[in-house]
Amino acid sequence: MARATFTKSFTQQLPIPDDAIEAAVAVMRSGRLHRYNTAADAAGETADLEREFAAWQGQPYCLAVASGGQAMQIAMRASGVQPGDLVMTNGFTLAPVPGAIAGVGAKAVLIEITDDLVIDLDDLDRKAKATGARYLLLSHMRGHLCDMDRLMRIAAAHSMTIIEDCAHTMGARWNGKLSGSFGLAGCFSTQTYKHMNSGEGGLLTSDDPDFMARATILSGSYMLFDRHGAGPATEVYDDIKLDTPNCSARMDNLRAAILRPQLRALNQSIADWNARHDLVAEMLATNPAIHLPNRPEAELYVGSSIQFCLPHITPDAARGFIAHLAAVGVEVKWFGASMPVGFTSAHQSWRYIAAQALPQTDRILAGLFDMRLPLTFDLKDCALLADHILDAVAMLKQERE
Ligand SMILES: *Cc1c(COP(=O)(O)O)cnc(C)c1O
């Protein structure tokens, strides 16, 4: 049975919407690209974006920054992380996360993941106790939320500060509550491959005024912190403005202009992603050899990518599997490769942090595959992708027999 080769690109996002292009052109015509270079009667696109994202996220404070990685570094520093402090994070995440920990001079303590690809809360509890670490940079990696209720109980028991990496969960919820609003801070990315696209960019949210005042000065606000769209009251800055370094990681008005119309369309994008994700997931679920991570009822995810496991697959078979799929145009990534490829990243390749044994995570990653689902794919494309994957899994079985 000859199936059509898949010809669309896995890295092609939707074009920037026309209203966003018009807003960007208006910023360029004005020449006022720097966030503090605004007309007398206007807050400016960046401040407006902060106000709108704070409202969307249901948080009093939002700070727009240069990238998701900068949001995480600023959040750690503003929450009190000092050089040499221990910061726990998932053993399975992408390189900007351990990179952010290294960036603030802290030491990463890696926590195992479970077969459902979320942080292993037993291991977290154990390592918090054993190491005395008081910070958790929680990565909702590939859009999977752990049991947030149990996590918050563990955090309270250890007086743990949680910073959430929501690069893959903008718009996701646990029991109705948005990811990013559980911990002290939520960190979001608006880099091209995330849920809103400004090329580069980041957003940081919190309900803590002192934290947000420190974050704002760290982001490079000079003494213009009162020109933010969703910042704390001026008096909160009394000491903070002199005690906190300016680390220049601002967002500019051009990016903010591109993002505001995308934010208005975000709920529709989420519905569109989930229609694609759920179609592929339902088709893959028809083969019992494929393990799909469990999605608890409490979780409302954003299916901008899909993950599946082929437990016990050998490295040679995994390489053959992705090569076979690549030959029919299907770009599936394998997280078990010994060297990082493209955006993949295994903890062994983060040689700037102390090496750590994570046997459970390694076993899971050895059989973990991942596929992007950009909104440029329609439902027919998604069905074809799932059929190709099912074919390739069936071939694996034949090869074994
Ligand atoms: C993309 C990403 C980030 C950081 O985003 P940038 O804006 O690229 O710095 C953080 N965490 C994860 C898991 C990511 O995939």
Side-chain angles (χ1 to χ4, degrees), residues 67-69 72 93-94 96-97 139 141 165 167-168 189 191 194 201:
S67 70
M72 293 188 288
T93 184
L94 290 180
V97 179
S139 186
M141 177 62 174
D165 166 22
H168 303 164
S189 168
Q191 188 234 81
K194 313 299 163 95

Side-chain angles (χ1 to χ4, degrees), residues 308-330:
F308 59 94
C309 291
L310 299 172
H312 313 302
I313 192 170
T314 64
D316 277 346
R319 275 186 284 269
F321 177 72
I322 52 173
H324 170 85
L325 285 168
V328 291
V330 180

Side-chain angles (χ1 to χ4, degrees), residues 186-361:
C187 303
F188 301 84
S189 168
T190 62
Q191 188 234 81
T192 291
Y193 301 110
K194 313 299 163 95
H195 296 172
M196 295 199 291
N197 175 10
S198 59
E200 302 284 357
L203 294 159
L204 176 61
T205 59
S206 181
D207 63 1
D208 183 309
D210 291 317
F211 166 86
M212 196 46 96
R214 284 190 294 271
T216 303
I217 303 285
L218 282 164
S219 79
S221 69
Y222 302 94
M223 294 297 136
L224 302 169
F225 46 80
D226 60 338
R227 293 174 47 190
H228 279 241
T234 310
E235 54 275 17
V236 180
Y237 289 88
D238 281 351
D239 288 320
I240 288 171
K241 69 185 177 199
L242 304 175
D243 293 339
T244 312
N246 176 331
C247 298
S248 282
R250 295 168 299 272
M251 186 181 278
D252 58 89
N253 286 333
L254 194 50
R255 289 189 171 87
I258 292 170
L259 291 170
R260 290 176 64 209
Q262 293 182 57
L263 179 59
R264 293 196 281 277
L266 187 53
N267 282 329
Q268 184 58 51
S269 305
I270 291 171
D272 293 345
W273 265 309
N274 286 353
R276 286 156 178 74
H277 172 277
D278 293 353
L279 185 145
V280 176
E282 274 163 36
M283 287 179 67
L284 296 188
T286 59
N287 186 330
I290 303 175
H291 168 84
L292 291 164
N294 178 42
R295 311 254 33 178
E297 222 168 281
E299 182 191 25
L300 191 154
Y301 51 86
V302 181
S304 51
S305 64
I306 187 162
Q307 293 69 45
F308 59 94
C309 291
L310 299 172
H312 313 302
I313 192 170
T314 64
D316 277 346
R319 275 186 284 269
F321 177 72
I322 52 173
H324 170 85
L325 285 168
V328 291
V330 180
E331 203 178 290
V332 165
K333 285 180 213 149
W334 175 46
F335 275 98
S338 55
M339 285 306 275
V341 186
F343 287 98
T344 69
S345 174
H347 66 93
Q348 292 88 347
S349 62
W350 307 332
R351 293 203 304 216
Y352 45 84
I353 69 168
Q356 298 171 47
L358 298 172
Q360 179 175 306
T361 299

